[in-house]
Amino acid sequence: MGYPTRVQLIKRKASEQWYINFPSAVARAMEFKRSELVEWIIEDKSQLVLKRTEVPPLRLKKKPPAGSSTVSRSSGSRAKPPSARTGSRGGQKGSP
């Protein structure tokens, strides 16, 4: 879902400033902090990318289920050998 936002321009005697404001829903979803430093990257004339210089840690971390390990216990020694079927028609031999 997109959030339409207007580009604003403030002209002064010696300078001008352009502003793009984030809707509060976007700022909250991204968990921006006040005075957070970000970097604008121009991908092309239709895409302007905002990149965080420091990414905050994830608040929700997935925990492995109790009793599980990140190391696979299967050695592969009981793996079945490759099928004797060949060809692309579900096992019919001799068809190119």
Side-chain angles (χ1 to χ4, degrees):
M1 175 176 176
Y3 288 90
T5 304
R6 292 210 183 266
V7 176
Q8 300 173 7
L9 171 61
I10 297 177
K11 289 186 177 185
R12 297 191 174 95
K13 290 181 182 179
S15 66
E16 60 184 33
Q17 289 182 311
W18 296 81
Y19 290 91
I20 300 175
N21 293 313
F22 290 108
S24 61
V26 173
R28 284 189 196 114
M30 291 295 295
E31 297 181 356
F32 282 121
K33 302 294 182 211
R34 185 177 182 176
S35 300
E36 184 173 343
L37 186 62
V38 294
E39 176 183 353
W40 288 106
I41 300 169
I42 301 170
E43 287 290 323
D44 54 44
K45 292 209 177 214
S46 69
Q47 295 184 13
L48 183 61
V49 176
L50 181 70
K51 180 180 175 186
R52 278 185 148 147
T53 55
E54 293 183 25
V55 180
L58 293 176
R59 291 184 358 182
L60 299 176
K61 292 186 179 180
K62 291 184 179 180
K63 294 181 181 179
S68 69
S69 172
T70 58
V71 178
S72 174
R73 296 178 192 262
S74 174
S75 66
S77 61
R78 292 179 290 209
K80 293 181 182 178
S83 174
R85 293 193 266 174
T86 59
S88 61
R89 292 188 178 179
Q92 294 179 357
K93 293 183 180 181
S95 298

